[in-house]
Amino acid sequence: TISIRSIEKKFGRYPALNKVDLEIADGELLALLGPSGSGKTTLLRTIAGLEFPDAGQVLFDGEDVTFASAAARRVGFVFQQYALFKHMTVAKNIAFGLDVRKGKDKPDKAEIARRVEALLKLVELEGLGKRYPSQLSGGQRQRVALSRALAVQPSVLLLDEPFGALDATVRKSLRKELRRVHDATGVTTIFVTHDQEEALELADRVAILNKGQIEQVGTPDQVHEEPETAFVCGFVGEAN
Ligand code: ATP
């Protein structure tokens, strides 16, 4: 379980997050939904350990990780621009988080190769391990980024507008892909989107942010049919 307790974060005077509380259950697929500037990315980065709050706590299974590094939290992170290493093959990209480990923590070569193969199969990129990122489509690159994040067997998978840079058709197929990968691995997953259709279609629960605060958290049906605030109503409710 991930517990976010009364998190506050300011950039200058402006609060990006203002007393945010949120609980995410093990194995859940949660969307952070809201308009531009509502604090989605800041919240995701705070959960990741890429940003540290001014006040409040982040707990992983009851353990306070508020100021722990991303590596210590064992998070897998997928950025909007896939950020693959251009000079490395697909297989090397996926293995990166394992290759950089040291000593006892580092799996042997055969084990790394086995995991890479399994991940390529999981995201339906079998046989493409020897290619370079420049030889892949945008959607394929994002699948590689997803595999790379999963390679370290993360405690939580975090994705920031993972499909934002892709066209509508590819977005749709990657949505299905993320759902399938989530169901296959069971890993707790949190993704940021400003696209209400994407959030409602894909997520088990949706947290709706506005001006650094959470307006409502609920299942897609709940936020769609029983919006609790005027903002939620306008953003995802029946009025739409
Ligand atoms: P978008 O969908 O546009 O990415 P968002 O909902 O993810 O928006 P955040 O990126 O979390 O929102 O930003 C929340 C607020 O904090 C915004 O007003 C933004 O300008 C501000 N902010 C975020 N990061 C920084 C930073 N590094 N320095 C200064 N201000 C920042």
Side-chain angles (χ1 to χ4, degrees):
T1 307
I2 297 174
S3 311
I4 313 291
R5 296 207 181 139
S6 214
I7 288 288
E8 295 177 37
K9 177 73 183 177
K10 276 188 189 161
F11 294 106
R13 277 200 191 158
Y14 183 83
L17 295 174
N18 190 1
K19 293 216 162 50
V20 169
D21 288 289
L22 185 62
E23 290 255 324
I24 303 130
D26 288 346
E28 192 169 18
L29 177 49
L30 179 99
L32 300 177
L33 174 69
S36 182
S38 57
K40 307 180 294 291
T41 295
T42 306
L43 180 55
L44 194 77
R45 290 174 59 84
T46 304
I47 297 169
L50 298 171
E51 202 84 73
F52 299 114
D54 300 323
Q57 286 179 305
V58 181
L59 308 180
F60 279 23
D61 290 332
E63 185 189 344
D64 190 333
V65 296
T66 312
F67 298 103
S69 69
R73 295 179 201 197
R74 263 192 339 113
V75 301
F77 205 96
V78 178
F79 297 89
Q80 175 168 1
Q81 302 291 351
Y82 1 89
L84 298 177
F85 302 111
K86 293 195 183 87
H87 61 287
M88 287 184 195
T89 62
V90 164
K92 278 280 173 198
N93 265 283
I94 295 173
F96 183 77
L98 302 172
D99 280 336
V100 295
R101 285 192 186 165
K102 295 199 170 73
K104 269 196 303 201
D105 287 342
K106 185 169 176 170
D108 65 33
K109 265 195 174 161
E111 170 62 16
I112 291 179
R114 198 192 57 74
R115 278 206 221 170
V116 168
E117 276 312 306
L119 285 162
L120 284 169
K121 191 170 175 195
L122 180 69
V123 298
E124 296 175 330
L125 290 178
E126 274 171 297
L128 299 190
K130 292 205 170 75
R131 289 212 192 164
Y132 285 86
S134 62
Q135 299 168 310
L136 300 176
S137 71
Q140 288 174 329
R141 283 180 208 165
Q142 204 53 321
R143 286 170 194 223
V144 175
L146 181 58
S147 308
R148 187 178 58 183
L150 289 169
V152 296
Q153 295 169 322
S155 58
V156 56
L157 177 65
L158 305 168
L159 308 100
D160 191 357
E161 293 268 3
F163 318 132
L166 303 165
D167 69 46
T169 320
V170 182
R171 277 183 89 104
K172 279 229 152 109
S173 80
L174 275 180
R175 252 184 236 171
K176 288 212 186 92
E177 186 80 9
L178 179 61
R179 182 79 234 183
R180 200 174 55 73
V181 166
H182 175 266
D183 293 347
T185 59
V187 66
T188 309
T189 303
I190 306 172
F191 73 100
V192 160
T193 183
H194 62 266
D195 180 339
Q196 53 138 312
E197 193 189 309
E198 189 158 287
L200 297 182
E201 212 180 282
L202 191 54
D204 298 326
R205 281 196 313 156
V206 182
I208 296 167
L209 277 91
N210 178 34
K211 296 184 178 158
Q213 295 189 307
I214 293 187
E215 295 262 343
Q216 186 173 351
V217 190
T219 63
D221 279 353
Q222 283 168 343
V223 296
H224 190 254
E225 281 151 32
E226 301 155 38
E228 285 170 5
T229 68
F231 176 82
V232 174
C233 193
F235 204 66
V236 295
E238 294 289 357
N240 258 321

